[in-house]
Amino acid sequence: MKNEALRIENLHLSYRGLAGTTFSKPRALAFFDRNRDTDKELISGANLTLMRGETICIGGPSGQGKSALLRVIAGLARPSAGKLYYFGEHIPAERQTALEIAKRQVGLVFQNGALISNLRVRDNIALPLRYHKRGTPEEIETKINMAMDLMRVRDCATMFPHQLSVGMQKRVAIARSWAMDPELLLMDEPTAGLDNYNRRNLLPLIDNMRILFKTSIIIITHDLMIAKELNCNLVFLYNKTLTEPHSFDYWQNADNAISRELFRDLRTSG
């Protein structure tokens, strides 16, 4: 479908599929390795459709596999079964690699930012552009400046990551990913570790990407209020599968196990 950014059909992921990725091995995976049960499924039959220019949040209890699902979408982990379509194109399992997915303008923002410690902000943003030869030096410089302006980090251009607050590090990481012109941007816990001030400043900047550039965005989060503030749908990875997408208000007022468990503190008092 030409208006789809991403479609996931009947996706299954075992702990074995997470082995050998560029991520540190999760504790749960280490446990199953010791017990030789790496075929145990973390995700069983997940389905999801994201339209172009749409933002969606994926929530759920800790340890359910939300970040693992993002790894699969980014090509950093391989599902044991299921199909993934990027902008209408099916990518078969043997081609489901990070490089192949990145070629389709899919960007990933890691939870910890993953900035290069010995590079200044400007050079962190420039790194993927230069590596992939995305334009002339002048064009790359223009793109760097646009990314810094979008995320409001130009004043920090000559600083190193350790000189930045956690909130600014998150902005720089997003700017670096946005500079590569992603049509689909994957974000893992973008508000984790932020105080209320930095959180409130970050969310409108994320939404600007959707409004100004029609970027499709998937946000993995424990911060369920993001869905309300971005006015986007929320799905949950729960009992090894994905729910149907619904608004924040729907989930907050619904009478089901997910709402009772995850919205207990967010329900309005009588």
Side-chain angles (χ1 to χ4, degrees):
M1 301 285 290
K2 65 180 182 179
N3 291 324
E4 289 179 354
L6 175 73
R7 178 154 44 101
I8 298 172
E9 292 183 350
N10 196 30
L11 185 140
H12 292 251
L13 176 67
S14 68
Y15 284 94
R16 184 185 301 276
L18 296 175
T21 71
T22 58
F23 290 80
S24 298
K25 184 177 293 186
R27 292 178 186 173
L29 179 56
F31 173 82
F32 281 105
D33 273 351
R34 290 196 301 271
N35 289 273
R36 299 186 180 183
D37 195 12
T38 53
D39 287 328
K40 182 178 178 67
E41 284 203 321
L42 184 61
I43 300 174
S44 300
N47 296 279
L48 179 70
T49 299
L50 178 75
M51 306 306 292
R52 289 178 182 264
E54 180 184 8
T55 297
I56 197 165
C57 290
I58 301 178
S62 297
Q64 293 287 309
K66 299 184 297 298
S67 293
L69 176 61
L70 213 63
R71 300 176 199 182
V72 171
I73 298 171
L76 292 167
R78 184 167 294 180
S80 50
K83 295 182 178 180
L84 288 96
Y85 297 80
Y86 300 83
F87 306 103
E89 179 187 5
H90 173 234
I91 308 298
E94 62 273 15
R95 291 169 51 207
Q96 187 79 14
T97 66
L99 182 59
E100 282 290 331
I101 303 308
K103 287 179 181 178
R104 284 148 184 85
Q105 293 181 274
V106 178
L108 172 62
V109 180
F110 296 96
Q111 180 175 343
N112 64 2
L115 300 177
I116 308 301
S117 61
N118 63 342
L119 293 182
R120 299 180 190 273
V121 164
R122 177 179 292 277
D123 293 321
N124 260 285
I125 297 171
L127 185 63
L129 292 166
R130 292 169 179 163
Y131 179 82
H132 292 285
K133 299 180 172 62
R134 296 290 290 270
T136 65
E138 294 78 16
E139 290 169 338
I140 289 176
E141 187 68 16
T142 297
K143 197 68 178 182
I144 294 168
N145 289 332
M146 289 177 63
M148 289 193 297
D149 287 342
L150 178 69
M151 297 309 298
R152 299 180 186 173
V153 295
R154 193 190 274 251
D155 290 345
C156 306
T158 61
M159 298 173 69
F160 291 98
H162 74 272
Q163 297 174 301
L164 305 176
S165 67
V166 173
M168 294 304 289
Q169 289 178 22
K170 299 258 188 182
R171 291 195 202 181
V172 173
I174 296 170
R176 181 178 59 185
S177 186
W178 178 85
M180 293 294 289
D181 293 321
E183 292 190 34
L184 171 59
L185 185 59
L186 312 173
M187 308 182 74
D188 193 0
E189 299 282 2
T191 62
L194 299 188
D195 58 29
N196 287 334
Y197 174 82
N198 281 294
R199 181 190 174 283
R200 285 196 306 269
N201 283 310
L202 178 62
L203 292 181
L205 300 181
I206 292 173
D207 204 32
N208 280 345
M209 291 187 285
R210 178 189 62 82
I211 295 169
L212 298 176
F213 304 101
K214 309 303 180 188
T215 309
S216 306
I217 303 173
I218 295 178
I219 299 174
I220 300 295
T221 185
H222 286 91
D223 182 359
L224 302 181
M225 287 296 296
I226 290 179
K228 185 176 183 68
E229 294 170 50
L230 296 181
N231 192 29
C232 68
N233 277 334
L234 180 61
V235 303
F236 289 96
L237 185 55
Y238 195 79
N239 290 334
K240 301 184 181 183
T241 191
L242 287 171
T243 67
E244 291 292 324
H246 292 290
S247 69
F248 177 92
D249 288 343
Y250 169 89
W251 288 111
Q252 186 177 24
N253 297 304
D255 183 19
N256 56 47
I258 293 174
S259 296
R260 288 192 295 271
E261 179 178 348
L262 300 179
F263 284 78
R264 181 171 57 247
D265 297 331
L266 297 173
R267 290 181 187 270
T268 56
S269 60

